[in-house]
Amino acid sequence: MSELIDFWTHLRASYIADIVRSGVMITVLVVLRISIGRAIASNTHWSLDDRRRWSITVRNVLFVCGVAGIALIWASELQTIAVSMLAFAAAVIIATKELIMCLTGGLLRSASDSYSLGDHIEVGHIRGRVVDIGLFTTTVMEIGPTHDSHQMTGRALSFPHSLLLNQPVVLENYMGEYVVHTLGLPLPYTLPPQQGEALLLGAANDVCAPHIQAAQQHMARIEARHHLDTPSVAPRVSIHPLSDVSYQLTLRIAILAKDRQRVEQAILKRFMFEAFPAEASLNKSAAPV
């Protein structure tokens, strides 16, 4: 108890001494300011502009000396306050790190306009249609369940905007209402690649025929507005070998974003029926009446 009293007495004496020194310094500076100011004002050999200039210079020099003197007198106390404030600021930053990153990611999204309401996006493993954008999170209606699917799963997913700082944002409907859609189809070599390519291309042309002209006009508007090289809207098929027993046909088409699933299934059904008629007839006969 006596040690605590001694510490408090020493601390109070130190503060009193600093206050006295500060008061004496301020008094001396005020006296100097008044004395020098009167001396300058009474000097008739200087012009009015010279006296005003010297008066301002003396005032500024004495003010700087006063600030420096106060800082020297209270140096230890100011250092203690600065360390405390630095520790507090560091603790606040550590405690709110995720919120700060989420807010920064939201500002980045707003500045870059990477996506908006209604867009179909993919961030990391999250893929869906944007239905809400907040300060810290974005909510999407999930599209899936696999990456090749284009149907809503009925689930809503929210992700923090901090993901936008280290994950790329894939905007699936950047081209607007019409999108370029690709479909990979692995096939055995029992179906010759040239035959498979012709059948798949024929099915795609038949199904996409009503949309090709509208898609071409839309892509021309996008190209003129954004100065982009838009892809051809005509269906195209490429062949990629997978192994010694199978290969893959990759189909690219331009269709309405909302019709991707329907058009894809229509093309697949027509292709399967023409490429494997025996299996299609077997399945049709085995179907319940």
Side-chain angles (χ1 to χ4, degrees):
M1 186 67 180
S2 60
E3 294 179 354
L4 183 60
I5 294 174
D6 292 340
F7 173 75
W8 175 250
T9 302
H10 173 73
L11 185 63
R12 185 171 60 180
S14 176
Y15 280 158
I16 292 174
D18 289 342
I19 292 173
V20 170
R21 284 196 291 266
S22 299
V24 171
M25 186 195 67
I26 292 173
T27 302
V28 171
L29 291 176
V30 171
V31 171
L32 285 175
R33 173 72 178 89
I34 295 174
S35 301
I36 297 175
R38 288 179 178 177
I40 293 174
S42 61
N43 191 341
T44 57
H45 299 288
W46 289 350
S47 65
L48 182 61
D49 289 340
D50 290 337
R51 281 180 283 175
R52 185 182 295 114
R53 187 180 303 110
W54 275 103
S55 178
I56 294 173
T57 302
V58 170
R59 183 190 63 189
N60 292 339
V61 169
L62 292 178
F63 177 78
V64 171
C65 292
V67 172
I70 292 293
L72 290 174
I73 293 173
W74 295 89
S76 58
E77 288 77 6
L78 291 175
Q79 183 179 5
T80 303
I81 294 174
V83 171
S84 300
M85 292 180 63
L86 182 61
F88 177 75
V92 170
I93 291 175
I94 292 174
T96 59
K97 175 184 175 183
E98 288 299 325
L99 290 178
I100 294 174
M101 292 179 64
C102 289
L103 184 59
T104 304
L107 294 175
L108 176 64
R109 185 209 67 81
S110 299
S112 61
D113 194 22
S114 55
Y115 62 83
S116 57
L117 288 176
D119 286 339
H120 290 207
I121 65 171
E122 182 178 355
V123 181
H125 299 292
I126 298 174
R127 181 167 172 255
R129 184 175 182 268
V130 180
V131 294
D132 185 36
I133 302 174
L135 287 176
F136 304 103
T137 62
T138 290
T139 302
V140 300
M141 294 300 296
E142 185 185 38
I143 298 176
T146 63
H147 192 274
D148 295 332
S149 179
H150 305 284
Q151 301 182 96
M152 298 288 183
T153 64
R155 300 194 305 172
L157 302 178
S158 295
F159 64 88
H161 287 161
S162 57
L163 286 180
L164 304 179
L165 299 176
N166 51 34
Q167 294 286 345
V169 177
V170 179
L171 186 58
E172 295 186 354
N173 60 330
Y174 180 77
M175 295 292 181
E177 58 179 349
Y178 281 89
V179 296
V180 176
H181 179 62
T182 57
L183 168 66
L185 189 62
L187 295 168
Y189 277 112
T190 52
L191 177 67
Q194 292 79 5
Q195 182 182 353
E197 178 185 9
L199 292 176
L200 183 58
L201 188 59
N205 283 324
D206 291 341
V207 175
C208 296
H211 309 287
I212 290 180
Q213 185 175 359
Q216 189 171 8
Q217 294 174 353
H218 175 79
M219 293 298 178
R221 290 194 297 268
I222 293 294
E223 183 174 351
R225 183 183 308 166
H226 300 288
H227 307 289
L228 298 175
D229 292 328
T230 55
S232 172
V233 299
R236 291 187 178 182
V237 177
S238 55
I239 303 174
H240 307 279
L242 297 178
S243 65
D244 56 348
V245 296
S246 64
Y247 62 95
Q248 176 173 295
L249 295 179
T250 301
L251 171 67
R252 192 195 71 184
I253 53 177
I255 53 176
L256 284 168
K258 62 180 182 179
D259 290 339
R260 281 183 295 184
Q261 185 73 16
R262 181 186 63 80
V263 172
E264 178 184 295
Q265 290 300 308
I267 294 174
L268 285 177
K269 289 177 182 178
R270 180 170 299 194
F271 170 77
M272 293 296 184
F273 181 81
E274 296 178 354
F276 306 100
E279 289 80 354
S281 300
L282 181 62
N283 292 336
K284 184 175 181 180
S285 62
V289 179

